[in-house]
């Protein structure tokens, strides 16, 4: 019996291998990026808040809180992951150059006001960082629900790798370099999201 070679190769999840690779790459990139942003931000806020424990607690609390709010927002409103990722990249590049001067201006403020300023500064960043993952899961739920466990696994593994990678990058390039690497990962995720959208876009109806 002759093999039918005209059919495209598909995966058990029901999508083509290139799309499978792009989906897992997307979740890996946002997993890397989250930790590559979080770790240098903790370092930047140590001097501002006066103690490493204060910086770790405040930065983690703010990013997780506002990321949760960002994830909740996409449950009610349709938010483009490309828009969120592009805005996130630009905001992080702004942080690279403007965060240190901004924090220097607030060093003389009382501790409570410095905590409030930390929350204000991190709020837009956290909101945007909470959008890419749920929008990616929503896309998978429509296109390939069997792939959702793999997406969670890749994202979690990338987060573990990022914690070690951030330390190595900081030794080689400083914490500013780590923040730039995080922005680069989010930018790459934006391009990946755009490619996935073009591949999964429905065909126009026949005339």
């Amino acid at each position: 019996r002759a093999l039918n070679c005209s059919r495209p190769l598909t995966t058990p999840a029901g999508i083509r291998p290139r799309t499978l690779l792009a989906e897992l790459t997307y979740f890996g990139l946002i997993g890397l990026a989250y930790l590559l942003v979080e770790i240098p931000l903790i370092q930047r806020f140590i001097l501002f808040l006066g103690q490493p424990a204060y910086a770790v607690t405040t930065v983690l609390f703010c990013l997780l809180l506002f990321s949760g709010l960002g994830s909740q927002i996409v449950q009610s409103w349709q938010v483009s992951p490309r828009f969120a990722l592009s805005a996130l990249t630009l905001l992080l590049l702004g942080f690279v150059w403007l965060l240190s001067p901004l924090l220097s201006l607030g060093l003389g403020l009382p501790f409570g006001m410095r905590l409030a300023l930390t929350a204000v500064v991190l709020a837009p960043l956290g909101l945007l960082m909470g959008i890419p993952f749920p929008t990616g899961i929503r896309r998978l739920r429509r296109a390939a629900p069997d792939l959702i466990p793999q997406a969670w696994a890749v994202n979690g593994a990338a987060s573990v790798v990022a914690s070690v990678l951030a330390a190595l990058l900081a030794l080689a390039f400083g914490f500013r370099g780590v923040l730039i690497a995080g922005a680069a990962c989010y930018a790459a995720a934006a391009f990946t999201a755009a490619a996935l959208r073009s591949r999964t876009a429905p065909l126009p109806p026949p005339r």
Side-chain angles (χ1 to χ4, degrees):
R1 185 177 178 180
L3 294 175
N4 183 4
C5 299
S6 61
R7 296 181 60 187
L9 179 64
T10 58
T11 66
I15 59 176
R16 296 183 180 184
R18 287 185 179 180
T19 305
L20 170 66
L21 179 61
E23 290 284 7
L24 297 183
T25 299
Y26 172 84
F27 284 95
L29 285 169
I30 61 176
L32 282 173
Y34 200 101
L35 268 292
L36 291 177
V37 170
E38 185 179 75
I39 291 173
L41 285 179
I42 291 172
Q43 186 274 338
R44 289 295 178 91
F45 279 92
I46 288 176
L47 176 62
F48 184 67
L49 295 175
Q51 294 289 339
Y54 295 155
V56 171
T57 304
T58 306
V59 171
L60 289 182
F61 175 80
C62 289
L63 288 182
L64 293 176
L65 172 65
F66 290 110
S67 293
L69 292 176
S71 298
Q72 187 61 37
I73 286 173
V74 299
Q75 304 301 321
S76 304
W77 288 284
Q78 194 74 19
V79 181
S80 167
R82 291 179 299 165
F83 169 79
L85 289 164
S86 300
L88 191 50
T89 302
L90 294 175
L91 183 59
L92 285 171
L93 292 177
F95 268 43
V96 169
W97 306 110
L98 300 177
L99 182 60
S100 291
L102 176 63
L103 296 183
S104 298
L105 293 175
L107 280 175
L109 295 174
F111 181 69
M113 294 186 66
R114 279 181 282 144
L115 283 177
L117 181 59
T118 300
V120 170
V121 169
L122 296 180
L125 185 65
L127 285 171
L128 290 172
M129 290 171 71
I131 291 174
F133 187 86
T135 54
I137 292 295
R138 177 187 293 172
R139 181 180 61 244
L140 283 183
R141 190 174 290 120
R142 293 193 304 263
D146 291 340
L147 197 58
I148 292 177
Q150 288 92 321
W152 275 95
V154 169
N155 184 263
S159 298
V160 174
V161 171
S163 61
V164 179
L165 182 61
L168 296 176
L169 290 175
L171 289 174
F173 305 105
F175 283 101
R176 175 175 289 185
V178 181
L179 203 57
I180 292 174
C185 287
Y186 276 125
F191 283 110
T192 306
L196 286 168
R197 180 176 176 84
S198 65
R199 288 178 184 176
T200 57
L203 297 175
R207 295 182 178 179

